[in-house]
Amino acid sequence: MKTRLPIHDLIDERIPRHIGVHDDDALHLCWLAQQLPQNAVVVEIGSFKGRSTAFIASGLKSGQIYCIDVWSNVMDLIAHADNMKLLGYHNMVTQIRGLSKEVAKSWSKTW
């Protein structure tokens, strides 16, 4: 069941709905993350300022989110990092700056 959590109000305040994923899709991302096991690993391609990242993180029991984005404007990269820190998700989020196809070529993570 897709239910709003108290943290979602803070996400909405910090990263407005018009930036990134909209409400229904955001709640669906949270719900999907809730279905994952402990210590799940999520790779998000296209993270912008972190709205979708935050909704995914809000549903994870534990784990790591790898966010891949070109972040052509360094201020968006900084905003993403600041948002994750403010929301308390900075320890579970790793930012990877670059094109996803280029990042994939050098991806060495194994689980």
PDB file of all heavy atoms in Angstrom, residues 16-40:
ATOM      1  N   PRO A  16      10.671  20.767  -3.921  1.00  0.00           N
ATOM      2  CA  PRO A  16       9.270  20.924  -4.326  1.00  0.00           C
ATOM      3  C   PRO A  16       8.828  19.934  -5.394  1.00  0.00           C
ATOM      4  O   PRO A  16       9.628  19.437  -6.188  1.00  0.00           O
ATOM      5  CB  PRO A  16       9.214  22.361  -4.854  1.00  0.00           C
ATOM      6  CG  PRO A  16      10.366  23.048  -4.217  1.00  0.00           C
ATOM      7  CD  PRO A  16      11.433  22.000  -4.055  1.00  0.00           C
ATOM      8  N   ARG A  17       7.528  19.680  -5.410  1.00  0.00           N
ATOM      9  CA  ARG A  17       6.931  18.696  -6.321  1.00  0.00           C
ATOM     10  C   ARG A  17       7.204  18.996  -7.786  1.00  0.00           C
ATOM     11  O   ARG A  17       7.245  18.087  -8.601  1.00  0.00           O
ATOM     12  CB  ARG A  17       5.429  18.636  -6.090  1.00  0.00           C
ATOM     13  CG  ARG A  17       5.051  18.044  -4.769  1.00  0.00           C
ATOM     14  CD  ARG A  17       3.532  18.066  -4.611  1.00  0.00           C
ATOM     15  NE  ARG A  17       3.136  17.356  -3.422  1.00  0.00           N
ATOM     16  CZ  ARG A  17       2.822  17.945  -2.289  1.00  0.00           C
ATOM     17  NH1 ARG A  17       2.860  19.250  -2.185  1.00  0.00           N
ATOM     18  NH2 ARG A  17       2.462  17.219  -1.249  1.00  0.00           N
ATOM     19  N   HIS A  18       7.346  20.257  -8.138  1.00  0.00           N
ATOM     20  CA  HIS A  18       7.566  20.588  -9.554  1.00  0.00           C
ATOM     21  C   HIS A  18       8.995  20.278 -10.007  1.00  0.00           C
ATOM     22  O   HIS A  18       9.318  20.387 -11.174  1.00  0.00           O
ATOM     23  CB  HIS A  18       7.218  22.058  -9.826  1.00  0.00           C
ATOM     24  CG  HIS A  18       8.174  23.029  -9.207  1.00  0.00           C
ATOM     25  ND1 HIS A  18       8.058  23.425  -7.905  1.00  0.00           N
ATOM     26  CD2 HIS A  18       9.250  23.665  -9.717  1.00  0.00           C
ATOM     27  CE1 HIS A  18       9.032  24.279  -7.625  1.00  0.00           C
ATOM     28  NE2 HIS A  18       9.767  24.440  -8.705  1.00  0.00           N
ATOM     29  N   ILE A  19       9.852  19.869  -9.058  1.00  0.00           N
ATOM     30  CA  ILE A  19      11.225  19.495  -9.397  1.00  0.00           C
ATOM     31  C   ILE A  19      11.335  17.978  -9.301  1.00  0.00           C
ATOM     32  O   ILE A  19      11.339  17.421  -8.218  1.00  0.00           O
ATOM     33  CB  ILE A  19      12.234  20.166  -8.445  1.00  0.00           C
ATOM     34  CG1 ILE A  19      12.154  21.677  -8.568  1.00  0.00           C
ATOM     35  CG2 ILE A  19      13.644  19.673  -8.723  1.00  0.00           C
ATOM     36  CD1 ILE A  19      13.014  22.423  -7.583  1.00  0.00           C
ATOM     37  N   GLY A  20      11.419  17.325 -10.420  1.00  0.00           N
ATOM     38  CA  GLY A  20      11.594  15.881 -10.395  1.00  0.00           C
ATOM     39  C   GLY A  20      10.287  15.113 -10.363  1.00  0.00           C
ATOM     40  O   GLY A  20       9.268  15.562 -10.874  1.00  0.00           O
ATOM     41  N   VAL A  21      10.322  13.975  -9.736  1.00  0.00           N
ATOM     42  CA  VAL A  21       9.212  13.029  -9.726  1.00  0.00           C
ATOM     43  C   VAL A  21       7.992  13.615  -8.998  1.00  0.00           C
ATOM     44  O   VAL A  21       8.126  14.328  -8.007  1.00  0.00           O
ATOM     45  CB  VAL A  21       9.675  11.690  -9.094  1.00  0.00           C
ATOM     46  CG1 VAL A  21       9.962  11.836  -7.624  1.00  0.00           C
ATOM     47  CG2 VAL A  21       8.702  10.587  -9.346  1.00  0.00           C
ATOM     48  N   HIS A  22       6.812  13.317  -9.513  1.00  0.00           N
ATOM     49  CA  HIS A  22       5.569  13.822  -8.926  1.00  0.00           C
ATOM     50  C   HIS A  22       5.019  12.846  -7.890  1.00  0.00           C
ATOM     51  O   HIS A  22       5.481  11.717  -7.767  1.00  0.00           O
ATOM     52  CB  HIS A  22       4.544  14.102 -10.031  1.00  0.00           C
ATOM     53  CG  HIS A  22       4.982  15.216 -10.925  1.00  0.00           C
ATOM     54  ND1 HIS A  22       4.826  16.531 -10.604  1.00  0.00           N
ATOM     55  CD2 HIS A  22       5.609  15.195 -12.127  1.00  0.00           C
ATOM     56  CE1 HIS A  22       5.323  17.287 -11.563  1.00  0.00           C
ATOM     57  NE2 HIS A  22       5.809  16.501 -12.503  1.00  0.00           N
ATOM     58  N   ASP A  23       4.005  13.260  -7.158  1.00  0.00           N
ATOM     59  CA  ASP A  23       3.524  12.551  -5.972  1.00  0.00           C
ATOM     60  C   ASP A  23       3.252  11.061  -6.150  1.00  0.00           C
ATOM     61  O   ASP A  23       3.785  10.249  -5.406  1.00  0.00           O
ATOM     62  CB  ASP A  23       2.260  13.216  -5.424  1.00  0.00           C
ATOM     63  CG  ASP A  23       2.561  14.545  -4.758  1.00  0.00           C
ATOM     64  OD1 ASP A  23       3.734  14.806  -4.444  1.00  0.00           O
ATOM     65  OD2 ASP A  23       1.610  15.309  -4.553  1.00  0.00           O
ATOM     66  N   ASP A  24       2.414  10.697  -7.093  1.00  0.00           N
ATOM     67  CA  ASP A  24       2.059   9.278  -7.243  1.00  0.00           C
ATOM     68  C   ASP A  24       3.287   8.426  -7.549  1.00  0.00           C
ATOM     69  O   ASP A  24       3.461   7.349  -6.977  1.00  0.00           O
ATOM     70  CB  ASP A  24       1.007   9.086  -8.338  1.00  0.00           C
ATOM     71  CG  ASP A  24      -0.375   9.577  -7.926  1.00  0.00           C
ATOM     72  OD1 ASP A  24      -0.602   9.759  -6.712  1.00  0.00           O
ATOM     73  OD2 ASP A  24      -1.221   9.776  -8.815  1.00  0.00           O
ATOM     74  N   ASP A  25       4.120   8.913  -8.454  1.00  0.00           N
ATOM     75  CA  ASP A  25       5.333   8.164  -8.796  1.00  0.00           C
ATOM     76  C   ASP A  25       6.307   8.131  -7.623  1.00  0.00           C
ATOM     77  O   ASP A  25       6.974   7.119  -7.383  1.00  0.00           O
ATOM     78  CB  ASP A  25       6.010   8.773 -10.025  1.00  0.00           C
ATOM     79  CG  ASP A  25       5.173   8.605 -11.283  1.00  0.00           C
ATOM     80  OD1 ASP A  25       4.398   7.637 -11.363  1.00  0.00           O
ATOM     81  OD2 ASP A  25       5.290   9.447 -12.192  1.00  0.00           O
ATOM     82  N   ALA A  26       6.391   9.228  -6.878  1.00  0.00           N
ATOM     83  CA  ALA A  26       7.278   9.277  -5.714  1.00  0.00           C
ATOM     84  C   ALA A  26       6.856   8.248  -4.665  1.00  0.00           C
ATOM     85  O   ALA A  26       7.696   7.512  -4.135  1.00  0.00           O
ATOM     86  CB  ALA A  26       7.278  10.685  -5.120  1.00  0.00           C
ATOM     87  N   LEU A  27       5.561   8.189  -4.387  1.00  0.00           N
ATOM     88  CA  LEU A  27       5.067   7.204  -3.420  1.00  0.00           C
ATOM     89  C   LEU A  27       5.272   5.785  -3.920  1.00  0.00           C
ATOM     90  O   LEU A  27       5.545   4.870  -3.130  1.00  0.00           O
ATOM     91  CB  LEU A  27       3.592   7.456  -3.104  1.00  0.00           C
ATOM     92  CG  LEU A  27       3.298   8.735  -2.326  1.00  0.00           C
ATOM     93  CD1 LEU A  27       1.788   8.904  -2.141  1.00  0.00           C
ATOM     94  CD2 LEU A  27       4.008   8.744  -0.979  1.00  0.00           C
ATOM     95  N   HIS A  28       5.176   5.594  -5.225  1.00  0.00           N
ATOM     96  CA  HIS A  28       5.419   4.270  -5.793  1.00  0.00           C
ATOM     97  C   HIS A  28       6.896   3.880  -5.618  1.00  0.00           C
ATOM     98  O   HIS A  28       7.194   2.721  -5.304  1.00  0.00           O
ATOM     99  CB  HIS A  28       5.011   4.233  -7.263  1.00  0.00           C
ATOM    100  CG  HIS A  28       4.928   2.852  -7.818  1.00  0.00           C
ATOM    101  ND1 HIS A  28       3.896   1.987  -7.516  1.00  0.00           N
ATOM    102  CD2 HIS A  28       5.775   2.172  -8.621  1.00  0.00           C
ATOM    103  CE1 HIS A  28       4.110   0.832  -8.121  1.00  0.00           C
ATOM    104  NE2 HIS A  28       5.239   0.917  -8.799  1.00  0.00           N
ATOM    105  N   LEU A  29       7.807   4.827  -5.799  1.00  0.00           N
ATOM    106  CA  LEU A  29       9.233   4.536  -5.589  1.00  0.00           C
ATOM    107  C   LEU A  29       9.486   4.126  -4.135  1.00  0.00           C
ATOM    108  O   LEU A  29      10.239   3.183  -3.871  1.00  0.00           O
ATOM    109  CB  LEU A  29      10.089   5.751  -5.947  1.00  0.00           C
ATOM    110  CG  LEU A  29      10.230   6.052  -7.429  1.00  0.00           C
ATOM    111  CD1 LEU A  29      10.937   7.392  -7.626  1.00  0.00           C
ATOM    112  CD2 LEU A  29      10.980   4.931  -8.149  1.00  0.00           C
ATOM    113  N   CYS A  30       8.862   4.839  -3.207  1.00  0.00           N
ATOM    114  CA  CYS A  30       8.995   4.488  -1.792  1.00  0.00           C
ATOM    115  C   CYS A  30       8.468   3.074  -1.546  1.00  0.00           C
ATOM    116  O   CYS A  30       9.127   2.259  -0.891  1.00  0.00           O
ATOM    117  CB  CYS A  30       8.245   5.508  -0.930  1.00  0.00           C
ATOM    118  SG  CYS A  30       8.185   5.088   0.823  1.00  0.00           S
ATOM    119  N   TRP A  31       7.297   2.790  -2.083  1.00  0.00           N
ATOM    120  CA  TRP A  31       6.696   1.463  -1.912  1.00  0.00           C
ATOM    121  C   TRP A  31       7.594   0.369  -2.498  1.00  0.00           C
ATOM    122  O   TRP A  31       7.799  -0.676  -1.877  1.00  0.00           O
ATOM    123  CB  TRP A  31       5.313   1.432  -2.554  1.00  0.00           C
ATOM    124  CG  TRP A  31       4.647   0.099  -2.430  1.00  0.00           C
ATOM    125  CD1 TRP A  31       3.963  -0.376  -1.356  1.00  0.00           C
ATOM    126  CD2 TRP A  31       4.645  -0.946  -3.407  1.00  0.00           C
ATOM    127  NE1 TRP A  31       3.520  -1.654  -1.607  1.00  0.00           N
ATOM    128  CE2 TRP A  31       3.928  -2.029  -2.868  1.00  0.00           C
ATOM    129  CE3 TRP A  31       5.171  -1.062  -4.685  1.00  0.00           C
ATOM    130  CZ2 TRP A  31       3.742  -3.214  -3.559  1.00  0.00           C
ATOM    131  CZ3 TRP A  31       4.979  -2.248  -5.379  1.00  0.00           C
ATOM    132  CH2 TRP A  31       4.273  -3.303  -4.815  1.00  0.00           C
ATOM    133  N   LEU A  32       8.125   0.615  -3.696  1.00  0.00           N
ATOM    134  CA  LEU A  32       9.027  -0.370  -4.304  1.00  0.00           C
ATOM    135  C   LEU A  32      10.250  -0.609  -3.428  1.00  0.00           C
ATOM    136  O   LEU A  32      10.674  -1.751  -3.233  1.00  0.00           O
ATOM    137  CB  LEU A  32       9.462   0.089  -5.702  1.00  0.00           C
ATOM    138  CG  LEU A  32       8.406   0.001  -6.791  1.00  0.00           C
ATOM    139  CD1 LEU A  32       8.888   0.722  -8.052  1.00  0.00           C
ATOM    140  CD2 LEU A  32       8.057  -1.442  -7.100  1.00  0.00           C
ATOM    141  N   ALA A  33      10.811   0.465  -2.890  1.00  0.00           N
ATOM    142  CA  ALA A  33      11.980   0.329  -2.015  1.00  0.00           C
ATOM    143  C   ALA A  33      11.629  -0.459  -0.752  1.00  0.00           C
ATOM    144  O   ALA A  33      12.457  -1.216  -0.241  1.00  0.00           O
ATOM    145  CB  ALA A  33      12.526   1.705  -1.662  1.00  0.00           C
ATOM    146  N   GLN A  34      10.416  -0.313  -0.261  1.00  0.00           N
ATOM    147  CA  GLN A  34       9.983  -1.055   0.922  1.00  0.00           C
ATOM    148  C   GLN A  34       9.936  -2.560   0.663  1.00  0.00           C
ATOM    149  O   GLN A  34      10.022  -3.354   1.607  1.00  0.00           O
ATOM    150  CB  GLN A  34       8.608  -0.574   1.389  1.00  0.00           C
ATOM    151  CG  GLN A  34       8.619   0.808   1.979  1.00  0.00           C
ATOM    152  CD  GLN A  34       7.225   1.353   2.235  1.00  0.00           C
ATOM    153  OE1 GLN A  34       6.242   0.914   1.629  1.00  0.00           O
ATOM    154  NE2 GLN A  34       7.127   2.329   3.128  1.00  0.00           N
ATOM    155  N   GLN A  35       9.815  -2.959  -0.587  1.00  0.00           N
ATOM    156  CA  GLN A  35       9.742  -4.376  -0.940  1.00  0.00           C
ATOM    157  C   GLN A  35      11.125  -5.032  -0.979  1.00  0.00           C
ATOM    158  O   GLN A  35      11.234  -6.256  -1.015  1.00  0.00           O
ATOM    159  CB  GLN A  35       9.060  -4.561  -2.310  1.00  0.00           C
ATOM    160  CG  GLN A  35       7.719  -3.854  -2.465  1.00  0.00           C
ATOM    161  CD  GLN A  35       6.780  -4.041  -1.300  1.00  0.00           C
ATOM    162  OE1 GLN A  35       6.445  -5.167  -0.936  1.00  0.00           O
ATOM    163  NE2 GLN A  35       6.374  -2.944  -0.675  1.00  0.00           N
ATOM    164  N   LEU A  36      12.174  -4.210  -0.984  1.00  0.00           N
ATOM    165  CA  LEU A  36      13.541  -4.732  -1.081  1.00  0.00           C
ATOM    166  C   LEU A  36      14.017  -5.288   0.252  1.00  0.00           C
ATOM    167  O   LEU A  36      13.582  -4.838   1.310  1.00  0.00           O
ATOM    168  CB  LEU A  36      14.486  -3.624  -1.558  1.00  0.00           C
ATOM    169  CG  LEU A  36      14.218  -3.088  -2.960  1.00  0.00           C
ATOM    170  CD1 LEU A  36      15.088  -1.868  -3.238  1.00  0.00           C
ATOM    171  CD2 LEU A  36      14.442  -4.173  -4.001  1.00  0.00           C
ATOM    172  N   PRO A  37      14.948  -6.246   0.210  1.00  0.00           N
ATOM    173  CA  PRO A  37      15.466  -6.819   1.453  1.00  0.00           C
ATOM    174  C   PRO A  37      16.438  -5.860   2.158  1.00  0.00           C
ATOM    175  O   PRO A  37      16.838  -4.833   1.602  1.00  0.00           O
ATOM    176  CB  PRO A  37      16.209  -8.074   0.970  1.00  0.00           C
ATOM    177  CG  PRO A  37      16.640  -7.729  -0.413  1.00  0.00           C
ATOM    178  CD  PRO A  37      15.538  -6.867  -0.974  1.00  0.00           C
ATOM    179  N   GLN A  38      16.827  -6.230   3.365  1.00  0.00           N
ATOM    180  CA  GLN A  38      17.858  -5.488   4.093  1.00  0.00           C
ATOM    181  C   GLN A  38      19.112  -5.384   3.224  1.00  0.00           C
ATOM    182  O   GLN A  38      19.396  -6.285   2.424  1.00  0.00           O
ATOM    183  CB  GLN A  38      18.223  -6.234   5.388  1.00  0.00           C
ATOM    184  CG  GLN A  38      17.116  -6.313   6.397  1.00  0.00           C
ATOM    185  CD  GLN A  38      16.929  -5.008   7.167  1.00  0.00           C
ATOM    186  OE1 GLN A  38      17.795  -4.152   7.207  1.00  0.00           O
ATOM    187  NE2 GLN A  38      15.771  -4.862   7.776  1.00  0.00           N
ATOM    188  N   ASN A  39      19.849  -4.323   3.375  1.00  0.00           N
ATOM    189  CA  ASN A  39      21.117  -4.107   2.661  1.00  0.00           C
ATOM    190  C   ASN A  39      20.962  -4.121   1.145  1.00  0.00           C
ATOM    191  O   ASN A  39      21.854  -4.569   0.425  1.00  0.00           O
ATOM    192  CB  ASN A  39      22.171  -5.122   3.106  1.00  0.00           C
ATOM    193  CG  ASN A  39      22.436  -5.022   4.589  1.00  0.00           C
ATOM    194  OD1 ASN A  39      22.622  -3.941   5.134  1.00  0.00           O
ATOM    195  ND2 ASN A  39      22.431  -6.157   5.266  1.00  0.00           N
ATOM    196  N   ALA A  40      19.840  -3.631   0.678  1.00  0.00           N
ATOM    197  CA  ALA A  40      19.588  -3.571  -0.768  1.00  0.00           C
ATOM    198  C   ALA A  40      20.527  -2.569  -1.430  1.00  0.00           C
ATOM    199  O   ALA A  40      21.009  -1.628  -0.807  1.00  0.00           O
ATOM    200  CB  ALA A  40      18.140  -3.167  -1.022  1.00  0.00           C
TER     201      ALA A  40
END
